[in-house]
Every structure is written in structure tokens, then in C-alpha cells.
Amino acid sequence: MNIQELFQKGGPAMWPLLVLSILSVSTIIERLWFWASLLSKEKQIVNRILDAARSDWGAASEIARQANRQPIGRFLSAPLRLYNPEPDLFRLALEAAADEELASMRRGDKILEATIALAPLLGLLGTVLGLINSLSSIRLGDIGTAATTGVTLGISEALITTASGMVVAIFTLAFYRIFQAFLFNQAKIFRKAGNEMELLYRQYWPTANAKGRSPGTDHNNSSFGSDGLNRRSLNSQESSGERLREPKLKGSDPAEDSPSNN
């Protein structure tokens, strides 16, 4: 029995099951590709960023910026984009980025959940419709005769939709649970990496706050400010010197003119 015969014998409920199975398989393939590309690079990115943060926050910020295509890169770069944040603000940025990235990782879950819920129901519906059609032609006098042979065949064919719905639901449920396990593992990785980065920042922040600098940036505001201040003071001294060297007009100072008058 090929697929075309199964669809013909399964009845109209087989077509919605076909649509659900196509949606489920396409979502599963897309999610498998996503998780494969994520898990293969994630550990390396985390180690590089944390190792750089222990000695140079500017290098850590640059590595995280270059890894923006990966969720872990966007997660760790979120607080590094802030200018000299307090530790509480640093942690808040990490939590907000983690919520956003974990929510994006759940893409496709609604399709899988709908398939798991609807596929068995559609299978039962097709079976019930097949039983109604088979039993509607039976008469009490035909029970036990050759006329009931077609009825038993119709009942067996009606069960095809139930089996098809259960197969689609079980197949989808297996991958759905796998993706949920991946998501749970990602939450643990995000929590661990975020805690380590927060601890490193809490050790660094007092020094950064004293110097007026921020991790991930090389703001030399103090040196620029002092240079600017020195330039302004030098200009003021030069201008005052020029004013002192300006020739004075005779009679402009009464104290100087008084001896000559005498």
C-alpha cells in the first residue's frame, strides 16, 4: 500500500494531517540547523570573551561585538555597550538580554505544540467519520452475513487516520522535547557566563569608576580635559601677557602723570 492509497482510504482528515506534518518537518529541520550552528561555536565564544575580560575589557567588548551573529555574543555584549554602568545596571542589562535571546530561541515551538495537539484529534476525527460511513449501511438482518464483510474492511481503513495522527504527533513530540532540553541547557550556560562576567565587572568597577573609564571603551576624558584646561590656561596667560605688554597712552594713569605735572 503506497502513500496515495493511504490517503484515499484514510479519508478527508488525511489532508490536514499532511499539512501539519509538512509544517512540523520544516520547523524541525530549521531548528536542527539553528542548534547545530549555535552549539558548535558557543563554548569558544564564551571562553574568549571571559578570558579577555580578565585583563582587557576593550578586547572583550570587541570580541563580543564580532560575535553578534550568535545569541551568546549578543548576550555578553549588551552590558559592554553601556558607558561606565553601575554593577546593578550591568546585571540588569545581562538579564534583559538573556530574556530576549532565550525568547528568540523558542521560535517554532508554537507550530510544534499545535501539531502535537491537533494531529491525534484529526486522526480520531477521521476514524469517527469512517466508522459512521461504514456502519450507516449495516442493517440488523445483515449481521453475520457476507454483507458485513465490507463493513469490517471500512473500519480497518478508518483506523488509518488514527495511526497517521499518532505517528505525526509522536514524531513531533520527540523533537520538541529535544529542543526544550537544548533551551534549558542554554539557560544554564547564559546564567553561568553572566554570573562570571558580573563578578569580573564588580572587581573592575571600583577602579573604572575612580578613573572615569568604562569597560569596552578607551575614554581618556581626564587627559583630554587636563590638556584642554592647560590650553585654556596657557591662552589666558598669553592674552594677559599681551595686555600687560600693550603700550599705555600718556595721561591714561593719573599716578604716573602726577610727577610730570608737578
Side-chain angles (χ1 to χ4, degrees):
M1 185 179 296
N2 55 28
I3 297 177
Q4 184 176 1
E5 293 177 353
L6 285 175
F7 272 89
Q8 291 177 353
K9 294 180 179 180
M14 294 294 291
W15 294 105
L17 285 174
L18 177 62
V19 174
L20 287 178
S21 63
I22 293 174
L23 291 176
S24 176
V25 170
S26 60
T27 303
I28 288 171
I29 293 174
E30 189 272 333
R31 290 287 87 190
L32 286 175
W33 178 264
F34 169 79
W35 287 110
S37 61
L38 186 149
L39 297 176
S40 62
K41 302 177 182 178
E42 185 176 44
K43 186 176 181 180
Q44 180 182 2
I45 293 173
V46 172
N47 292 334
R48 289 180 59 196
I49 294 175
L50 293 180
D51 290 343
R54 292 182 177 92
S55 58
D56 187 358
W57 282 93
S61 178
E62 181 64 21
I63 294 172
R65 186 185 64 81
Q66 293 176 358
N68 269 340
R69 293 185 178 181
Q70 296 292 327
I72 192 68
R74 293 190 294 268
F75 164 66
L76 294 178
S77 66
L80 298 178
R81 293 194 298 264
L82 303 176
Y83 174 70
N84 196 21
E86 295 183 355
D88 292 338
L89 183 60
F90 190 90
R91 182 175 184 178
L92 181 61
L94 283 173
E95 292 177 352
D99 293 339
E100 182 178 357
E101 295 300 330
L102 291 175
S104 66
M105 292 179 186
R106 297 180 61 91
R107 185 177 58 188
D109 284 359
K110 296 301 181 182
I111 295 177
L112 300 181
E113 292 172 358
T115 302
I116 294 169
L118 292 176
L121 296 178
L122 288 172
L124 290 175
L125 177 62
T127 298
V128 170
L129 294 177
L131 291 175
I132 291 174
N133 293 330
S134 298
L135 297 176
S136 62
S137 60
I138 296 179
R139 292 178 299 179
L140 294 178
D142 295 334
I143 296 177
T145 63
T148 59
T149 304
V151 175
T152 57
L153 182 60
I155 293 174
S156 64
E157 292 176 354
L159 295 175
I160 292 176
T161 54
T162 300
S164 300
M166 293 180 66
V167 168
V168 173
I170 292 171
F171 177 81
T172 305
L173 179 61
F175 282 97
Y176 176 78
R177 290 302 182 186
I178 293 174
F179 298 149
Q180 291 298 306
F182 287 160
L183 182 64
F184 180 76
N185 187 51
Q186 283 299 301
K188 294 194 299 183
I189 293 174
F190 275 35
R191 189 181 302 112
K192 181 179 178 181
N195 290 339
E196 291 183 7
M197 176 166 280
E198 183 184 358
L199 289 175
L200 292 174
Y201 183 76
R202 286 183 181 274
Q203 296 174 6
Y204 174 83
W205 185 72
T207 305
N209 190 36
K211 294 181 179 179
R213 300 173 65 182
S214 173
T217 56
D218 191 10
H219 298 283
N220 296 324
N221 294 331
S222 58
S223 61
F224 291 159
S226 61
D227 293 343
L229 182 59
N230 293 334
R231 294 190 186 97
R232 287 195 297 269
S233 61
L234 181 60
N235 293 334
S236 63
Q237 292 176 3
E238 292 176 355
S239 60
S240 61
E242 290 176 359
R243 287 197 300 270
L244 291 174
R245 291 194 296 271
E246 288 178 359
K248 295 182 178 180
L249 297 176
K250 187 175 182 180
S252 60
D253 191 350
E256 294 178 0
D257 293 339
S258 58
S260 62
N261 293 331
N262 294 330

